[in-house]
Amino acid sequence: MYSAVCFFPSVCTVKMSFKTVGTALTRALWTRGQRTPPLARAPKVNRLSTTCRTSAERKQGGDKTKACSSETVRPSGEVSSSASEPPHACTTGDKKRLKEPVGAPGVTGVRRRLYTSTAAPVSQSSYMWARYNDTKRLVHDLIPPGACHLLNSSTIYANNEVNLAEVDIYGFDYDYTLALYSNALNTMIYSTARDFLIKHFKYPEGIRKYDYIPNFTVRGLHYDIQKGLLMKIDAFHYIQPGTVYRGLSPVPDDEVRQLYGGTYHIPLQQDSGFYGKGPKVKQFMDIFSIPEMTLLAAANDFFITNDIEYDPVHLFKDVSEAIGMVHLKGCMYKWVMEDLDQFILRGEETDAVLHRLVSQGKKLFLITNSPFSFVDKGMTYMVGKSWRDFFDVVIVQADKPHFFTDCVKPFRRLDSNGDLQWDRIKSLNKGQIYKQGNLFDFLRLTGWRGSRVLYFGDHLYSDLADLMLRHGWRTAAIIPELEQETKVVSTDRYALSLTWLQALTGLMERLQTHRDPESKLIFEEWQNEREELRVMTKNLFNPQFGSIFRTCHNPTYFSRRLSRFSDLYMASLSCLLNYDPSYTFYPRRTPLQHEAPLWMDQLCTGCMKTPFLEEMSHIR
């Protein structure tokens, strides 16, 4: 669905490698079945493995006419003529095609060999396992060396075409965009909110025994407020089986289906809404929500394991307020400002990006929900005391996403001490600090509109959605999780397991027409193996919820929003340093389901070059 724009032209992407594997696997399957690769173009006589051959008897009589017979490739690699169709004359085009060399590109003088067979037919079981073993062997043999190590976590990925030469103005959020934070911050937020629950909301002291669990949750999960369930939902509003948790324990799939009326589907009217806030299901979209999800799971687990009756709706509300108190009381700001070395990561890269953009003559602006004192301290640490000289406009406490939709709230100017001034704002001047305001006044005062502007943020809803859909700005999502996810995808284990999973799925799709009892038992074995592969590949990312980008086979709800609300996405702002200022990002054209099967997941599912195609002929 998404595509990588590689900075180094000599390095192919993993997707291209999988495409190469798919082509090689298809050719190898043909080579085994027919001893030669397939025709570059199939003859026009019949869509299903129809070949033409010269009749020796007619040659003796001087008749150059060729007879055609429909031949079907059998499990043993043999070819037998079909008696159901009478011979017919080939067209002139068929005559010419027989004179052309057949084989791999650049290989001449190789022709298809024809066989007649008197061998006894193999059993259904032997036939299916032969196809299974052939496919598995080829998957293991044909993955190119190094194909699993081509992803670079510093790559910028394109959902839409963006020419940086046309971008004059760069805008930034602050938290998790200009400033990246260490995982220690999540631990502090969780512990403090947990203590607020106990002290201010009078929750049982036993909850204090639940320490923060790193990597229990992932960003983009949904929470059913009334049922107290944390879950992962795909782009089609379906719950992914095996990813529903009540407290810290998984909920069996059968129980999940019963809870939702015999389905895994979450209706649109119950889902998270445009900004992910309900009414009945909330989506957690920003990185700050990870400790909130963990605290919800821990508190639910305490009540369940101690058999204490409680209302999940009240718990959700109280945990949300406790997390909010961490921010409202300024706890997080205080921790970071007191220990910048511990909490702020890679500040020198932010400094390098800003210097580079300014040296190229770009205009910069900052719109953040954080207070000025906090931003000033962090930017001074990363860039220096003169950090405001980089920005043409600085807006703090903007109250996003309302900043992008409110037409009334005016800008307020702050003096050098951060105190509010009372003058009416008629222009947004460099070197000044502004508070609140709204985007409509911002556009009127600056004139910065349309695709000239590229805005970076980590929250798909609060930072990017309105800018792209309502105002036509270019948007770029900062996804720090990409760094770890690309490391997983780049491992040999993941690439081999995923490739075999896709090939096995194609094999099952192709052979599902065999419905005898023996075949059904084999199919059950394959289905179990497929489920094991799915679980294994999921666990490589996160044992509870897997990748933030994919469910078993579909994009996640988070991933679909990412493709809708961002033109570009990357692990950190520093990825910009790898690209020329006039670089154009091109999204790769990936095949739709009805287009040519160029990828491993479409191998053996109906391609005209796929052997044994007659097993699916009735579908056509």
Side-chain angles (χ1 to χ4, degrees):
M1 172 172 190
Y2 306 110
S3 56
V5 180
C6 186
F7 179 60
F8 304 100
S10 61
V11 180
C12 298
T13 63
V14 167
K15 288 185 176 180
M16 292 303 296
S17 299
F18 282 169
K19 175 182 176 181
T20 304
V21 174
T23 303
L25 182 53
T26 303
R27 287 187 176 277
L29 284 169
W30 266 90
T31 302
R32 186 194 181 284
Q34 306 186 53
R35 301 293 185 261
T36 59
L39 285 166
R41 293 182 181 178
K44 297 182 180 179
V45 178
N46 191 315
R47 293 185 66 189
L48 297 180
S49 299
T50 301
T51 58
C52 298
R53 53 196 174 112
T54 305
S55 171
E57 293 79 9
R58 297 192 181 189
K59 278 186 176 181
Q60 291 177 358
D63 188 353
K64 300 297 183 181
T65 305
K66 297 176 183 177
C68 294
S69 61
S70 179
E71 296 169 338
T72 306
V73 184
R74 297 300 180 189
S76 61
E78 300 161 348
V79 180
S80 61
S81 297
S82 171
S84 61
E85 293 183 18
H88 59 278
C90 291
T91 63
T92 304
D94 296 318
K95 292 181 183 179
K96 292 182 179 179
R97 187 167 290 111
L98 283 175
K99 296 179 181 180
E100 297 174 355
V102 180
V107 179
T108 60
V110 181
R111 297 188 183 278
R112 296 176 67 174
R113 296 174 58 188
L114 302 178
Y115 300 88
T116 57
S117 174
T118 58
V122 296
S123 70
Q124 195 65 49
S125 173
S126 299
Y127 169 71
M128 293 182 71
W129 283 116
R131 301 285 67 76
Y132 173 96
N133 291 327
D134 284 347
T135 305
K136 192 167 190 176
R137 174 181 58 79
L138 292 169
V139 163
H140 283 70
D141 290 346
L142 294 178
I143 293 182
C148 310
H149 306 285
L150 299 179
L151 281 180
N152 186 342
S153 61
S154 296
T155 299
I156 294 178
Y157 300 88
N159 293 322
N160 196 12
E161 185 172 324
V162 176
N163 184 356
L164 293 183
E166 298 176 354
V167 177
D168 303 320
I169 304 119
Y170 285 74
F172 305 93
D173 182 30
Y174 179 71
D175 297 306
Y176 284 107
T177 301
L178 289 173
L180 294 179
Y181 301 116
S182 67
N183 290 331
L185 187 58
N186 285 340
T187 304
M188 297 287 287
I189 294 173
Y190 171 90
S191 300
T192 305
R194 179 198 59 193
D195 294 343
F196 280 146
L197 268 184
I198 297 170
K199 182 177 180 180
H200 295 281
F201 296 92
K202 308 305 179 182
Y203 274 64
E205 185 69 26
I207 294 179
R208 201 183 302 275
K209 297 179 181 179
Y210 287 80
D211 293 328
Y212 179 68
I213 308 173
N215 302 319
F216 174 74
T217 65
V218 298
R219 186 153 57 129
L221 298 180
H222 285 72
Y223 184 78
D224 190 313
I225 298 170
Q226 295 178 331
K227 295 181 176 66
L229 300 178
L230 191 63
M231 67 190 72
K232 185 177 178 183
I233 295 179
D234 71 10
F236 300 95
H237 295 241
Y238 279 87
I239 301 168
Q240 179 182 352
T243 64
V244 179
Y245 277 74
R246 181 185 288 116
L248 300 176
S249 301
V251 181
D253 293 340
D254 290 341
E255 183 179 346
V256 173
R257 192 183 291 109
Q258 291 176 3
L259 287 171
Y260 290 96
T263 180
Y264 287 117
H265 184 257
I266 302 294
L268 178 64
Q269 65 270 19
Q270 296 181 19
D271 212 337
S272 54
F274 187 78
Y275 292 110
K277 295 183 178 180
K280 296 182 179 180
V281 179
K282 176 180 178 178
Q283 186 180 20
F284 292 98
M285 289 295 284
D286 66 337
I287 301 174
F288 284 129
S289 65
I290 290 177
E292 181 177 355
M293 288 186 282
T294 308
L295 183 57
L296 275 169
N300 274 292
D301 191 77
F302 171 81
F303 287 116
I304 293 169
T305 56
N306 289 279
D307 198 23
I308 300 174
E309 186 177 354
Y310 72 106
D311 189 329
V313 176
H314 296 332
L315 176 61
F316 171 79
K317 179 176 177 293
D318 294 341
V319 169
S320 297
E321 290 189 15
I323 291 288
M325 290 174 70
V326 175
H327 297 276
L328 291 175
K329 289 181 175 293
C331 299
M332 188 195 80
Y333 304 135
K334 180 181 177 182
W335 303 327
V336 174
M337 292 167 68
E338 289 180 348
D339 197 345
L340 296 168
D341 288 329
Q342 179 186 3
F343 293 110
I344 292 185
L345 303 175
R346 298 155 64 172
E348 68 281 357
E349 296 178 0
T350 297
D351 180 52
V353 170
L354 297 180
H355 272 89
R356 183 176 183 183
L357 292 175
V358 169
S359 68
Q360 295 164 0
K362 306 298 183 181
K363 294 183 180 296
L364 309 183
F365 67 92
L366 171 64
I367 302 178
T368 176
N369 286 349
S370 294
F372 171 70
S373 59
F374 177 67
V375 175
D376 182 53
K377 190 82 171 181
M379 290 300 296
T380 300
Y381 171 78
M382 292 186 290
V383 179
K385 292 183 178 180
S386 60
W387 68 268
R388 281 184 282 178
D389 294 340
F390 288 96
F391 295 93
D392 294 85
V393 179
V394 176
I395 301 170
V396 299
Q397 293 178 273
D399 192 27
K400 295 179 292 184
H402 302 297
F403 179 87
F404 300 126
T405 57
D406 193 330
C407 303
V408 178
K409 189 179 295 182
F411 283 107
R412 299 287 300 272
R413 188 171 61 86
L414 304 180
D415 63 15
S416 57
N417 296 322
D419 296 326
L420 282 173
Q421 302 300 296
W422 301 98
D423 53 323
R424 184 174 182 178
I425 304 302
K426 299 180 180 179
S427 62
L428 299 176
N429 301 319
K430 187 171 183 176
Q432 299 294 321
I433 305 297
Y434 300 94
K435 179 182 176 181
Q436 297 177 347
N438 64 83
L439 184 65
F440 299 93
D441 283 343
F442 179 89
L443 297 175
R444 177 176 57 83
L445 296 173
T446 62
W448 296 343
R449 297 177 182 275
S451 58
R452 295 174 55 213
V453 185
L454 175 59
Y455 187 79
F456 295 78
D458 70 294
H459 199 300
L460 302 185
Y461 297 148
S462 297
D463 289 329
L464 308 181
D466 289 299
L467 293 177
M468 166 172 277
L469 300 179
R470 302 180 188 222
H471 302 286
W473 285 12
R474 297 295 197 176
T475 57
I478 303 298
I479 312 292
E481 296 92 340
L482 268 173
E483 187 165 355
Q484 179 60 31
E485 294 238 352
T486 52
K487 288 180 181 178
V488 173
V489 173
S490 297
T491 60
D492 294 330
R493 182 183 181 190
Y494 177 83
L496 185 62
S497 299
L498 179 64
T499 305
W500 171 231
L501 170 62
Q502 303 295 70
L504 178 61
T505 301
L507 191 68
M508 292 171 63
E509 181 178 28
R510 186 158 53 91
L511 299 182
Q512 64 182 300
T513 55
H514 300 281
R515 306 266 172 88
D516 58 281
E518 190 176 25
S519 298
K520 288 183 178 180
L521 290 176
I522 295 173
F523 212 81
E524 287 179 8
E525 287 190 50
W526 293 356
Q527 183 65 45
N528 291 335
E529 181 178 1
R530 182 170 179 257
E531 291 303 317
E532 290 174 1
L533 286 166
R534 281 177 158 184
V535 172
M536 191 272 287
T537 52
K538 183 200 82 169
N539 290 348
L540 290 175
F541 296 98
N542 178 281
Q544 292 75 236
F545 302 101
S547 167
I548 70 171
F549 299 104
R550 277 207 177 273
T551 58
C552 292
H553 48 269
N554 291 329
T556 59
Y557 198 95
F558 174 89
S559 188
R560 181 61 60 85
R561 294 303 183 272
L562 176 66
S563 65
R564 185 183 183 192
F565 299 148
S566 67
D567 295 288
L568 307 172
Y569 65 101
M570 64 204 76
S572 70
L573 202 61
S574 63
C575 296
L576 279 173
L577 298 173
N578 298 321
Y579 296 86
D580 184 83
S582 59
Y583 192 92
T584 299
F585 296 95
Y586 296 100
R588 294 298 185 267
R589 180 187 177 96
T590 54
L592 301 173
Q593 294 296 314
H594 64 275
E595 294 179 323
L598 302 177
W599 303 98
M600 289 303 299
D601 62 342
Q602 302 218 6
L603 187 66
C604 304
T605 59
C607 175
M608 288 306 300
K609 292 185 178 182
T610 302
F612 320 116
L613 186 60
E614 76 281 357
E615 291 150 356
M616 292 185 67
S617 62
H618 72 285
I619 297 176
R620 300 177 182 275

